[in-house]
Structure formats: structure tokens, C-alpha cells
């Protein structure tokens, strides 16, 4: 249960704690995602190397920004965001990214699965925040829309492989 130094006017302690717990999970997800994307960026190979390599960096930057926005929202809610690697690993409910050096298409398929999990979890957090706090909901909606767009970019690379 999150310790709160204060709450936002109009939000009670219980609702604030529920928001913080949900946002902490999203913070772990964004920290994990930007590290995973950078890992794929370093390890992608094959004929589409440069296209995928260069496509990933802007997403890394965007997701790092999402982590910062989420952490700052946790602080605004009166709690302390946790961004340490040990807590991320101990708290997460998903497996570590398994690919090392691999063909760009293999990385894109694996990243597509990663995005499936992140987006589905974000949508659950949006449902919760929609009941409690429209400002947090708005932040997560915007982030999720961009994540869905980037997943579409990755899927566009995969569509032609069976043609």
C-alpha cells in the first residue's frame, strides 16, 4: 500500500492509493519497454536493419518521456515513484525479453507481443483511472494512442513477410 504525503483536492486517500498502485505498474512497464526497445535497437540485424534500427530510437525517447510523466503524476498524487531496476524486476508480472542478436523481423514479432501486453495493461489502467481521475485517464489515453500507433508501424513491417 502506497504511503501518501498528501492527496490531490477532491481525491480521497483510498482512491489516490489505487491510482498510485496502478501508475506504479505502468511506470515499471514503461521503464521495461524503453530498455527493451533500446536492446532491440542494438541487436537488430538483417536486410531491414537500418529501417528498424532507426525506427526504434524515437520510440525509446517517447516511452522514456512517458515514464517521466507517470512518475511525476505519482509524485503529484502524494506518493514516491519507484524507478529502481530491482523493484521493476521483482514487481513485474511479465517475462524478460528473450531475443539477443536477431533478424529485424524476429525482433518486430517479439516486440509486437510486448506491445500487446503493455497496451492491454494500459487499457485496464485507463478503465480504473476513468472511474477515479480524469487527468490521469487523459494522460494514459494519450500515451496508449501513441503506443498503438507505433505497434501499427511495426506490424506494417511484418505484413509483407508472407507475400
Amino acid at each position: 500500500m502506497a504511503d501518501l504525503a498528501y492527496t490531490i483536492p477532491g481525491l480521497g486517500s483510498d482512491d489516490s492509493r489505487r491510482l498510485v498502485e496502478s501508475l506504479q505498474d505502468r511506470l515499471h512497464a514503461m521503464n521495461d519497454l524503453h530498455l527493451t526497445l533500446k536492446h532491440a535497437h542494438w541487436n537488430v540485424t538483417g536486410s531491414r536493419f537500418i529501417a528498424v534500427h532507426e525506427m526504434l530510437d524515437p520510440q525509446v525517447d517517447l516511452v522514456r518521456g512517458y515514464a517521466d510523466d507517470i512518475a511525476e503524476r505519482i509524485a503529484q498524487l502524494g506518493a514516491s515513484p519507484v524507478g529502481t531496476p530491482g523493484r521493476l524486476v521483482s514487481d513485474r508480472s511479465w517475462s524478460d525479453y528473450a531475443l539477443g542478436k536477431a533478424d529485424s523481423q524476429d525482433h518486430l514479432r517479439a516486440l509486437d507481443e510486448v506491445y500487446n501486453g503493455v497496451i492491454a495493461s494500459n487499457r485496464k489502467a485507463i478503465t480504473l483511472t476513468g472511474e477515479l481521475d480524469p487527468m490521469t485517464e487523459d494522460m494514459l489515453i494519450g500515451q496508449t494512442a501513441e503506443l498503438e500507433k507505433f505497434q501499427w508501424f511495426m506490424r506494417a513491417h511484418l505484413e509483407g513477410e508472407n507475400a
Side-chain angles (χ1 to χ4, degrees):
M1 190 64 72
D3 290 330
L4 301 175
Y6 47 80
T7 60
I8 289 177
L11 272 177
S13 296
D14 290 343
D15 287 345
S16 293
R17 282 187 186 90
R18 289 177 62 204
L19 285 169
V20 166
E21 288 171 10
S22 178
L23 287 173
Q24 183 60 58
D25 184 63
R26 297 299 76 225
L27 177 57
H28 287 325
M30 293 306 127
N31 281 330
D32 188 88
L33 180 58
H34 81 72
L35 291 169
T36 298
L37 288 165
K38 197 62 175 178
H39 171 83
H41 166 87
W42 295 324
N43 284 288
V44 68
T45 64
S47 62
R48 296 182 186 176
F49 160 78
I50 198 66
V52 174
H53 180 80
E54 290 183 353
M55 180 179 70
L56 292 174
D57 263 344
Q59 189 66 14
V60 170
D61 294 340
L62 194 65
V63 174
R64 280 184 180 151
Y66 292 167
D68 193 50
D69 292 343
I70 291 167
E72 289 175 355
R73 188 64 182 158
I74 291 169
Q76 291 166 19
L77 290 164
S80 177
V82 180
T84 59
R87 274 288 295 278
L88 187 162
V89 171
S90 70
D91 289 356
R92 72 182 180 189
S93 59
W94 56 90
S95 299
D96 207 9
Y97 190 77
L99 286 182
K101 187 169 283 229
D103 185 76
S104 61
Q105 298 303 90
D106 294 333
H107 274 292
L108 291 172
R109 279 188 292 278
L111 289 171
D112 185 47
E113 288 302 315
V114 169
Y115 271 74
N116 283 341
V118 171
I119 290 168
S121 295
N122 268 24
R123 285 178 164 273
K124 287 180 185 174
I126 289 167
T127 299
L128 172 71
T129 58
E131 297 170 7
L132 302 175
D133 180 43
M135 278 60 73
T136 304
E137 178 190 34
D138 186 58
M139 178 186 70
L140 292 176
I141 288 170
Q143 291 177 357
T144 304
E146 287 298 313
L147 293 171
E148 289 175 356
K149 182 168 79 172
F150 191 72
Q151 186 180 34
W152 168 59
F153 291 171
M154 291 188 303
R155 287 175 169 178
H157 279 270
L158 294 170
E159 275 185 37
E161 68 180 10
N162 294 328

